[in-house]
Amino acid sequence: MDSIALYPLSFTPIFRPVLWGGTRLMEYKGYANSDQPIGESWEISPLEEHLSVVESGPLQGLTLQELMQTYGEGILGRQDYRRYGTHFPLLIKLINAEQDLSVQVHPDRVLPKSEMWYILGTSGEARISAGFQEGVTKDSYLSAINDHRVSELLHYDTINAGDLFYIPAGRIHTIGAGSFLFEVQQPSDTTFRIFDYQRRDQKGELRPLHLQQALEVLDFTASPPYKATYHEEHDSLNTLLSTPHFVFSTLRLNKPYIFTPPKGEECAVFFIAEGSIEVEDLFGQRVLIEQGHSVLLPAQLMPLTIIPSSKSKILVVTLP
């Protein structure tokens, strides 16, 4: 296996059926609809219970962890490999919410999970919350919990395609019905559910809440506006968000483009939000990536030549 050269790596999507899901995600990615409502597609996952598997090519069938153990430095680059070792440091998803998600929070120390949302599309009067309203205190929160009205304490933003939000660990949040988004996060699946609208699962049971765990990590500081502001230019790398855990950029391309990652020797994840692209790596290997699909581009393959369809939009994730 050591003798196999790296190439642009695509992974089999991990589709997650959930009660708040629907059909939009499968249609967007070009798959047949499932008989269950699909709410998430885990595009690239290093989590042991949901490990991504290489979809095609000579390394087909290997898990992301197996790749990292054998090719870690070639994938991440020397600098990031010293930092992360054989643990791929990102979890990347698509989320389609046909119903409101629970009000929740993620921990900031043990299994920390900060994340970002880039809105791909909406239906109806879609909205999200990424924090409390001003003036909310621990006491007013506890009172609202007792009265089942904690959702009234949240700051909500009506959303449109292209909106961008950063949700650091400890910030209360929820995704509203009609939201379709691209999510980048730290590699953790730890969620503390605070409020779930008295909703019941397929077995007719109330889903469990995690009120004490949530209280221990909640940040009651309100810091609106929560939505990021940015400016994009065509045929140029636009860095829209830089965090301690990931960097998010966009490429709106009408013509071929030479892509060199911001740090030079590092990997990148491309997600094709619109159109399609052909990528040619440093060694002349070419791959076609269609709308709704992701690819992990190892550091060893940089720089890249990107040939877009007549109009393409790429979401780019790199490491800080």
Side-chain angles (χ1 to χ4, degrees):
M1 190 163 63
D2 288 341
S3 62
I4 297 177
L6 283 172
Y7 54 93
L9 297 162
S10 59
F11 298 90
T12 303
I14 302 169
F15 295 118
R16 303 291 302 278
V18 288
L19 60 87
W20 42 263
T23 61
R24 182 173 186 172
L25 194 157
M26 302 293 282
E27 293 166 357
Y28 178 76
K29 290 179 70 67
Y31 288 87
N33 281 327
S34 168
D35 57 359
Q36 295 179 291
I38 300 299
E40 297 183 345
S41 172
W42 290 28
E43 299 289 292
I44 301 179
S45 168
L47 299 190
E48 185 175 348
E49 62 273 27
H50 299 293
L51 267 174
S52 288
V53 175
V54 179
E55 189 170 40
S56 59
L59 299 173
Q60 181 178 5
L62 290 185
T63 68
L64 180 54
Q65 186 57 42
E66 289 170 329
L67 284 175
M68 291 298 296
Q69 289 169 347
T70 304
Y71 302 99
E73 186 171 337
I75 291 173
L76 294 181
R78 189 177 298 107
Q79 177 182 336
D80 286 332
Y81 185 68
R82 285 199 297 264
R83 180 179 178 185
Y84 299 107
T86 59
H87 301 286
F88 191 75
L90 299 171
L91 173 57
I92 296 176
K93 304 178 183 177
L94 298 180
I95 296 178
N96 175 46
E98 295 297 322
Q99 301 178 31
D100 292 338
L101 273 66
S102 62
V103 177
Q104 56 191 241
V105 69
H106 304 304
D108 57 354
R109 291 187 178 89
V110 180
L111 300 174
K113 181 180 173 183
S114 293
E115 61 193 21
M116 57 140 280
W117 300 331
Y118 180 84
I119 309 303
L120 294 170
T122 64
S123 59
E125 298 180 359
R127 63 178 188 169
I128 64 95
S129 172
F132 283 115
Q133 298 176 24
E134 292 189 33
V136 174
T137 64
K138 182 176 180 180
D139 287 342
S140 61
Y141 165 81
L142 291 173
S143 176
I145 286 289
N146 291 333
D147 297 337
H148 304 291
R149 55 178 183 82
V150 70
S151 59
E152 297 174 13
L153 304 185
L154 305 184
H155 172 92
Y156 288 93
D157 280 289
T158 301
I159 56 173
N160 296 287
D163 287 345
L164 176 63
F165 298 85
Y166 178 51
I167 303 91
R171 178 172 293 174
I172 197 168
H173 59 275
T174 186
I175 297 172
S179 304
F180 181 45
L181 57 90
F182 177 78
E183 178 179 273
V184 182
Q185 62 173 83
Q186 290 178 274
S188 167
D189 197 31
T190 305
T191 296
F192 299 144
R193 195 179 295 124
I194 295 169
F195 179 65
D196 198 35
Y197 315 97
Q198 303 296 300
R199 190 162 46 190
R200 296 182 183 273
D201 62 20
Q202 293 177 337
K203 297 179 181 178
E205 299 175 354
L206 293 172
R207 297 202 295 174
L209 302 180
H210 314 97
L211 299 179
Q212 184 56 44
Q213 297 98 315
L215 186 61
E216 292 171 0
V217 302
L218 272 171
D219 179 2
F220 290 98
T221 305
S223 55
Y226 294 106
K227 182 167 63 175
T229 58
Y230 62 84
H231 172 73
E232 287 179 297
E233 295 183 1
H234 285 265
D235 302 307
S236 178
L237 184 67
N238 303 283
T239 298
L240 309 190
L241 182 68
S242 184
T243 81
H245 316 292
F246 44 78
V247 177
F248 176 72
S249 308
T250 59
L251 277 168
R252 290 181 174 272
L253 299 181
N254 297 310
K255 59 185 181 182
Y257 178 84
I258 304 298
F259 175 79
T260 301
K263 297 203 302 275
E265 187 193 16
E266 65 173 319
C267 70
V269 174
F270 283 4
F271 174 78
I272 311 307
E274 298 175 17
S276 63
I277 63 170
E278 189 174 39
V279 171
E280 182 176 343
D281 67 28
L282 180 64
F283 302 102
Q285 302 172 109
R286 287 196 172 204
V287 62
L288 176 68
I289 317 168
E290 303 277 5
Q291 175 183 288
H293 293 268
S294 306
V295 64
L296 170 60
L297 298 154
Q300 198 176 81
L301 307 184
M302 301 295 177
L304 309 169
T305 300
I306 305 172
I307 302 117
S309 59
S310 58
K311 182 180 179 182
S312 300
K313 182 174 183 179
I314 311 167
L315 309 185
V316 181
V317 184
T318 53
L319 294 168

